[in-house]
């Protein structure tokens, strides 16, 4: 898509945000909305900041991610305005006013002193202020959070582009693994291919060789290469204008039972992606994943119960202890995943599945991850061995597969009016073409 088309989509996106804000403010008896970008946290006993993470409600309006203390002001009937922070500072480079056709969708006013900012909304009546440490009136914030699940066309394009960037990183990481780079070096190759700094990533890269792949959010980057390199799980994203990709791939170093299991999991994952259709309850997708993986484990002889029985007895949970996915957007785990309505009433998770982050109905424009996994996690296996589930597990096969850690395959998928759009598979296919 050409840049001028994206600019047009951004202008429409701002119109949508204005409409959503009109309803949220009117419903809660407010006259105006003020959204703070936020300020960086300072390290204890130090003069160094932690990396700045902008308020997601701010970047929903303004794709400026790296300039703290800006403010978005919206009063229904007026154009949204950005108070753009430009301090006099010779220690740091003050931000330049953004350029480009997209900026015409907003009004821009430079400020040098954040303490003066409240004057800009002093005459606007009852103001809902959203931001870290602010009043955050729940009746306004909840509604804005709920509505963020349905992406505008601009947001869909940003998510498509974020995914395409991440896929470039994944290809580079795969190549690094094949030439036996360390986890650390593979991570660096990933960043290099994405042309994004570590702190620009939407979450910490998970770069896990061998048994490390059994740690769901493995957080280290080993500098040494294991003598026997068997498997590789990489869960790494990227961002575009503040929108996140969240992609996982699993690889085997050599053909064999683990490589076959990855291929079988890939079939399961594709089938689950086909379930991302408007009108489907995402909780059903999650339960479907358990049944499908239960059937797969039964078919390869890892367990002795078919999928439905494996789900009901908790057997699948030994190998798949996380939710099958979540909303994706301005945050990697986007807000509002368990809201049943605009008032924020919780939509219950299925009993026994406390980690599921998304329980909503799918509708056109909702973007989710689909990330089935199958892991060999010592603590969960030990617990299963000690209870009734142990009798249904093929322990010699577990021992043979445990050194490979586990498998996760994760795509970013949009529900549409018709077929799901799989940003991740599309981007891999384009890169291969
Ligand atoms: N990368 C975190 C997740 O997959 O949810
Ligand atoms: Mn992930
Ligand atoms: Mn995810």
């Amino acid at each position: 898509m050409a840049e001028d088309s994206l600019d047009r989509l951004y202008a429409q996106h701002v119109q949508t945000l204005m409409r959503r804000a009109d309803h949220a403010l009117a419903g809660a008896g407010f006259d105006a909305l003020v959204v703070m970008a936020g300020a960086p946290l300072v390290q204890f006993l130090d003069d160094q900041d932690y990396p700045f993470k902008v308020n997601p409600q701010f970047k929903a309006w303004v794709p400026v991610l790296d300039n703290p203390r800006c403010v978005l002001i919206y009063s229904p009937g007026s154009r949204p305005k950005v108070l753009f922070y430009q301090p006099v500072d010779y220690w740091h480079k003050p931000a330049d006013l953004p350029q480009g056709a997209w900026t015409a969708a907003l009004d821009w006013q430079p400020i040098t002193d954040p303490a003066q900012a409240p004057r800009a909304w002093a005459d606007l009546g009852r103001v809902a202020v959203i931001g870290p440490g602010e009043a955050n009136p729940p009746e306004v914030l909840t509604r804005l959070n709920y509505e963020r699940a349905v992406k505008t066309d601009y947001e869909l394009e940003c998510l498509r582009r974020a995914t395409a960037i991440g896929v470039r990183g994944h290809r580079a990481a795969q190549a690094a693994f094949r030439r036996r780079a360390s986890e650390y070096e593979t991570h660096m190759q990933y960043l290099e291919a994405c042309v994004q700094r570590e702190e620009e990533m939407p979450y910490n890269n998970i770069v896990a060789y061998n048994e490390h792949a059994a740690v769901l959010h493995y957080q280290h980057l080993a500098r040494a290469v294991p003598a026997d390199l068997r498997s590789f799980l990489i869960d790494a994203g990227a961002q575009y204008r503040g929108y996140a990709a969240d992609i996982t791939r699993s690889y085997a170093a050599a053909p064999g039972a683990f490589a076959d299991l990855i291929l079988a999991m890939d079939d399961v994952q594709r089938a689950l992606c086909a379930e991302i259709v408007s009108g489907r309850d995402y909780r059903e997708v999650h339960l479907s994943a358990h049944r499908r993986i239960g059937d797969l484990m039964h078919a390869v002889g890892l367990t002795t119960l078919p999928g439905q029985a494996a789900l009901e007895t908790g057997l699948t949970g030994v190998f798949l202890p996380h939710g099958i996915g979540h909303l994706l957007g301005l945050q990697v785990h986007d807000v509002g995943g368990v809201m049943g309505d605009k008032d924020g009433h919780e939509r219950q998770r299925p009993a026994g599945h406390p980690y599921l982050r998304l329980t909503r109905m799918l509708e056109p424009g909702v973007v989710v991850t689909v990330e089935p996994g199958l892991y060999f996690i010592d603590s969960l296996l030990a617990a299963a061995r000690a209870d009734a589930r142990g009798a249904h597990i093929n322990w010699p096969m577990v021992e043979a597969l445990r050194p490979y850690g586990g498998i996760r395959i994760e795509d970013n998928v949009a529900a549409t009016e018709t077929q799901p759009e799989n940003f991740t598979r599309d981007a891999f296919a384009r890169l291969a073409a």
Side-chain angles (χ1 to χ4, degrees), residues 17-347:
L17 294 186
M18 290 163 68
R19 270 197 307 279
R20 289 178 182 175
D22 290 346
H23 291 137
L25 294 169
F30 285 89
D31 302 307
L33 179 70
V34 166
V35 188
M36 306 288 196
L41 295 170
V42 184
Q43 294 173 29
F44 182 55
L45 299 180
D46 209 328
D47 62 358
Q48 302 293 311
D49 295 339
Y50 289 104
F52 173 61
K53 302 290 177 188
V54 68
N55 170 8
Q57 287 289 356
F58 180 85
K59 63 175 172 171
W61 290 84
V62 189
V64 171
L65 314 177
D66 56 358
N67 192 23
R69 300 184 180 86
C70 295
V71 185
L72 180 284
I73 303 171
Y74 173 62
S75 173
S78 304
R79 276 163 58 80
K81 179 197 276 189
V82 183
L83 304 184
F84 192 77
Y85 184 51
Q86 287 186 312
V88 177
D89 182 354
Y90 54 80
W91 293 98
H92 308 99
K93 183 181 180 307
D96 294 323
L97 263 179
Q99 302 293 318
W102 67 270
T103 59
L106 308 169
D107 288 341
W108 299 82
Q109 178 185 324
I111 56 166
T112 53
D113 179 4
Q116 304 298 322
R119 286 186 192 163
W121 59 87
D123 298 331
L124 295 183
R126 192 165 176 239
V127 175
V129 184
I130 306 291
E134 304 294 342
N136 294 310
E139 54 293 23
V140 175
L141 185 58
T142 300
R143 184 162 177 155
L144 296 178
N145 286 345
Y146 179 80
E147 293 187 323
R148 264 181 40 199
V150 176
K151 270 53 186 181
T152 62
D153 289 342
Y154 164 77
E155 293 180 299
L156 293 171
E157 179 60 17
C158 289
L159 287 162
R160 234 174 248 126
R161 292 185 184 195
T163 304
I165 296 167
V167 163
R168 284 207 301 270
H170 274 266
R171 275 286 173 250
Q174 183 189 10
F177 166 69
R178 294 285 178 220
R179 63 169 189 272
R180 299 182 54 80
S182 67
E183 290 174 351
Y184 170 79
E185 197 195 328
T186 294
H187 163 75
M188 298 305 285
Q189 292 293 314
Y190 183 94
L191 295 178
E192 175 82 16
C194 293
V195 200
Q196 294 194 358
R197 297 168 70 179
E198 193 158 344
E199 65 191 55
E200 292 172 302
M201 290 283 137
Y203 57 93
N204 286 335
N205 283 356
I206 299 164
V207 179
Y209 289 175
N210 297 348
E211 289 90 346
H212 296 160
V215 182
L216 299 183
H217 285 174
Y218 173 70
Q219 72 276 40
H220 301 295
L221 293 165
R223 268 60 166 180
V225 184
D228 183 7
L229 188 50
R230 296 178 288 271
S231 61
F232 175 33
L233 183 155
I234 174 166
D235 183 343
Q239 55 108 351
Y240 185 82
R241 293 203 188 187
Y243 289 85
D246 181 9
I247 304 164
T248 309
R249 287 294 181 266
S250 297
Y251 304 100
F258 187 73
D260 293 344
L261 204 52
I262 292 176
L263 290 176
M265 281 294 287
D266 198 58
D267 288 342
V268 166
Q269 200 271 355
R270 285 175 191 266
L272 291 169
C273 289
E275 295 189 30
I276 304 305
V277 291
S278 183
R280 184 149 174 80
D281 184 333
Y282 193 82
R283 294 176 297 194
E284 285 302 324
V285 182
H286 174 84
L287 296 174
S288 168
H290 276 263
R291 279 186 217 101
R292 289 179 189 276
I293 291 172
D295 281 335
L296 163 59
M297 293 193 296
H298 186 224
V300 301
L302 184 57
T303 53
T304 58
L305 291 177
Q308 179 64 27
L311 165 63
E312 286 167 6
T313 54
L315 185 59
T316 51
V318 178
F319 299 91
L320 171 55
H322 60 70
I324 202 62
H326 47 85
L327 294 174
L328 184 69
L330 289 161
Q331 295 162 282
V332 64
H333 300 147
D334 222 13
V335 284
V338 296
M339 287 183 183
D341 56 35
K342 290 182 168 62
D343 298 323
H345 294 112
E346 184 178 331
R347 208 171 141 87

Side-chain angles (χ1 to χ4, degrees), residues 331-395:
Q331 295 162 282
V332 64
H333 300 147
D334 222 13
V335 284
V338 296
M339 287 183 183
D341 56 35
K342 290 182 168 62
D343 298 323
H345 294 112
E346 184 178 331
R347 208 171 141 87
Q348 299 279 312
R349 296 167 171 91
H353 297 262
Y355 300 114
L356 183 58
R357 290 189 171 97
L358 177 54
T359 57
R360 288 172 65 158
M361 299 298 290
L362 297 172
E363 52 186 305
V366 170
V367 179
V368 302
T369 67
V370 178
E371 49 181 305
L374 199 173
Y375 313 89
F376 302 94
I377 301 172
D378 287 344
S379 58
L380 300 183
L381 290 167
R385 194 165 209 155
D387 64 33
R389 295 168 299 176
H392 299 294
I393 294 174
N394 177 342
W395 291 103

